[in-house]
Amino acid sequence: MEKNPSIKESTLRNDAADDQEFMSEPVPMDKRHSTKDQVMVWIGFGYVVTGLVVGGQIGGQGGAGLPPLAAFLSVALGMGFLFLLTSFIGIASQKTGYNLSLLCRFSYGERGSTLPLAMMAIMTLGWFASIAGMIGQIWGAWIGNPSGVIVFDPSAHGFHGVAKITLEEFLSTFIWGLIFTYTAVRGMGAMEKVANIFAPFIMIVAIVMGFVYISQAGGVSPFLTKAGMLSGMSMGTAITAVVGSWIVGAIMGADLFRFNKNISAVWWCSAACFIFTNPILNVVGYIGAVQTGDFNYVMYMLGVSIPVAILGVIVWTSALWTTDNGELYCNALYTGPVLRSYGFNVERKQVVIVIGVLGSILGSLAFYQLFFADFINVLGIMGPPIASPILADYFVSGRHRKYNAAALAYQPAIRWAGLLSFAIGAAIALYCSYGVTLPGEFPSGVFAMIVSFIVYIVIYRFLPDAVADQRILKQING
């Protein structure tokens, strides 16, 4: 088998020479980062507003909710699933040093990998725009509208019930989007510095606000009594919300775990996000929704006093800073390979700047306010099956022996097992979400992921993929 002509050796190394972010080759062990720095990144990465949003949904904000025991169990099950999924993707990434783009070549093919990468690029762009909008909304609420200028009125375009975008909110969103773009351009090192500074402080404030809400309720017992009156939401719906809100982050983990030095660091990083960080936000959002009717504790802090309002704005901004850095940083790892597969050889920094500016514009024009709810729903449906071919190939069908760096240049253009198993899983996810309800309202995305995983294992040996792997191993081993 000849080398794939679309992959040149210079291309496989060009990004490493540019900024040491290793877009197109494995991260060498001597370039890996300390476990402490990586854990801090994951603590900051785990602090994303959807943790509060989902907690608020389960806490009855907007209608139906779950009583405390069922609510906390749904969070535990959803986060437990994400913890395991992220960890196993992380093991594959840490062992090989590959980012998601390189891992996908072994299960989707060199050209076929553009499908999951393009989907991840769109998803992370949407996340970047949404998070920039979340921060702009808080700054706009704090500053007010002294200019009296309205930049965008959603009601004039058929979006009723959505607040107008003031000049202050527009500029806040755009400026912070550019700041995030700058730190993402600097790479993993800059992300770790931001996380090391703010991550511990962020968690302290979130926990304190949870206790403040409980105190306002008159204590734990009165709060549980009030929360126990919630009803109308099924456990399956709650788990779907938890998983759907974080599935993109779980798959993105490959791009961060490749910098880990050992497997234990992978488990600690996953735990930092899905055991120690995000579940706390789910609980705080739940408590806030039950007690005040609003998951967002910063909105509450804005009305307490000027010092508390300033503290809330700082915490909110710094918390989402690391999250948006991660979204933009990883987006370049998806967009870059897709563009290069079609002849556009771009550097990581160029992609970060273009996507960062585009995401800042989208965020400023109310992407978060208008489309976030639908966006999250699509993620929960289409996200999980993306990971199935990767996990099935690395741990079962192809096994790790074929993930030799020398094999990168020999990957076939299309690996049909990956594309077909993903297509089947995605179709099942859509059908179960909009056509038929699974027993017990089992999460459709999770079910589709399981089916896609099994399908890959079954069809792998009956398609050209298995034969191709044998030839590649023979070729690189002489």
Side-chain angles (χ1 to χ4, degrees):
M1 178 176 289
E2 299 297 328
K3 288 187 178 182
N4 193 316
S6 65
I7 306 177
K8 298 180 180 179
E9 295 297 334
S10 59
T11 302
L12 291 175
R13 289 190 292 267
N14 62 353
D15 298 296
D18 288 336
D19 60 8
Q20 291 295 294
E21 293 301 322
F22 303 99
M23 284 179 64
S24 301
E25 69 173 330
V27 177
M29 191 57 67
D30 64 346
K31 299 297 183 180
R32 306 289 178 99
H33 298 187
S34 73
T35 299
K36 179 247 185 186
D37 286 344
Q38 289 291 88
V39 167
M40 285 299 183
V41 167
W42 276 91
I43 289 176
F45 191 48
Y47 192 106
V48 62
V49 73
T50 47
L52 295 171
V53 172
V54 170
Q57 291 175 342
I58 300 173
Q61 185 167 343
L66 281 177
L69 182 60
F72 299 149
L73 180 59
S74 67
V75 170
L77 292 174
M79 285 294 161
F81 170 81
L82 290 167
F83 168 71
L84 293 175
L85 171 61
T86 306
S87 296
F88 283 112
I89 290 178
I91 290 172
S93 180
Q94 191 280 326
K95 284 287 190 180
T96 60
Y98 297 156
N99 57 30
L100 182 64
S101 171
L102 300 182
L103 283 175
C104 282
R105 289 183 185 176
F106 291 89
S107 50
Y108 286 93
E110 190 271 328
R111 182 59 63 86
S113 65
T114 59
L115 173 61
L117 293 179
M119 291 181 62
M120 290 295 294
I122 294 171
M123 291 175 180
T124 49
L125 171 61
W127 265 116
F128 180 84
S130 297
I131 293 172
M134 294 171 193
I135 292 178
Q137 186 180 61
I138 290 296
W139 278 78
W142 182 40
I143 297 171
N145 185 213
S147 70
V149 176
I150 302 299
V151 176
F152 179 64
D153 183 1
S155 63
H157 300 276
F159 296 96
H160 301 289
V162 181
K164 298 176 181 179
I165 303 299
T166 65
L167 176 63
E168 291 76 8
E169 183 173 345
F170 177 89
L171 291 176
S172 296
T173 302
F174 188 73
I175 290 171
W176 278 108
L178 295 183
I179 292 173
F180 300 153
T181 300
Y182 172 76
T183 51
V185 166
R186 299 293 300 275
M188 182 61 68
M191 291 169 60
E192 289 175 347
K193 289 177 182 178
V194 172
N196 278 328
I197 294 171
F198 293 114
F201 183 62
I202 290 164
M203 290 308 304
I204 291 172
V205 173
I207 293 171
V208 167
M209 285 307 304
F211 281 107
V212 168
Y213 286 145
I214 294 294
S215 177
Q216 288 182 344
V220 175
S221 182
F223 172 80
L224 293 177
T225 299
K226 183 177 182 180
M229 299 172 64
L230 292 172
S231 62
M233 177 180 287
S234 70
M235 180 78 74
T237 300
I239 295 174
T240 297
V242 173
V243 172
S245 68
W246 250 103
I247 190 64
V248 172
I251 299 172
M252 281 170 53
D255 300 308
L256 305 181
F257 285 125
R258 64 201 176 105
F259 286 97
N260 284 5
K261 292 182 177 180
N262 50 57
I263 296 299
S264 65
V266 172
W267 293 106
W268 277 110
C269 288
S270 294
C273 182
F274 298 113
I275 295 179
F276 303 128
T277 303
N278 214 252
I280 293 176
L281 298 182
N282 292 148
V283 172
V284 172
Y286 179 85
I287 294 172
V290 172
Q291 178 59 27
T292 70
D294 191 348
F295 66 84
N296 192 339
Y297 64 78
V298 178
M299 285 297 188
Y300 169 82
M301 295 175 72
L302 292 180
V304 175
S305 65
I306 293 178
V308 173
I310 293 174
L311 175 63
V313 172
I314 291 174
V315 168
W316 191 257
T317 303
S318 59
L320 295 177
W321 191 335
T322 51
T323 303
D324 233 14
N325 268 351
E327 301 295 340
L328 189 52
Y329 174 86
C330 291
N331 181 282
L333 301 179
Y334 312 140
T335 304
V338 171
L339 292 176
R340 282 198 297 273
S341 70
Y342 290 97
F344 300 97
N345 193 22
V346 295
E347 297 179 5
R348 182 189 68 87
K349 292 180 180 180
Q350 294 173 329
V351 176
V352 168
I353 292 171
V354 172
I355 298 299
V357 172
L358 176 59
S360 299
I361 294 173
L362 289 175
S364 300
L365 295 176
F367 180 90
Y368 165 62
Q369 292 87 342
L370 298 179
F371 305 114
F372 187 68
D374 292 333
F375 177 65
I376 284 292
N377 186 50
V378 171
L379 295 185
I381 294 171
M382 302 299 293
I386 293 176
S388 295
I390 300 171
L391 295 175
D393 188 74
Y394 185 84
F395 289 102
V396 182
S397 297
R399 304 293 294 174
H400 55 79
R401 66 181 180 275
K402 81 179 214 181
Y403 285 76
N404 190 315
L408 278 171
Y410 295 92
Q411 294 304 305
I414 300 293
R415 285 189 175 272
W416 292 105
L419 293 178
L420 291 175
S421 61
F422 166 73
I424 292 171
I428 289 174
L430 289 170
Y431 179 69
C432 292
S433 296
Y434 299 107
V436 62
T437 301
L438 293 169
E441 295 193 18
F442 191 83
S444 59
V446 177
F447 177 70
M449 179 180 175
I450 295 171
V451 172
S452 183
F453 184 90
I454 295 173
V455 168
Y456 186 95
I457 295 171
V458 171
I459 68 176
Y460 169 80
R461 295 189 180 280
F462 298 99
L463 294 172
D465 300 338
V467 174
D469 284 334
Q470 292 174 359
R471 291 176 179 171
I472 292 172
L473 286 172
K474 184 176 180 181
Q475 183 86 12
I476 64 177
N477 292 328

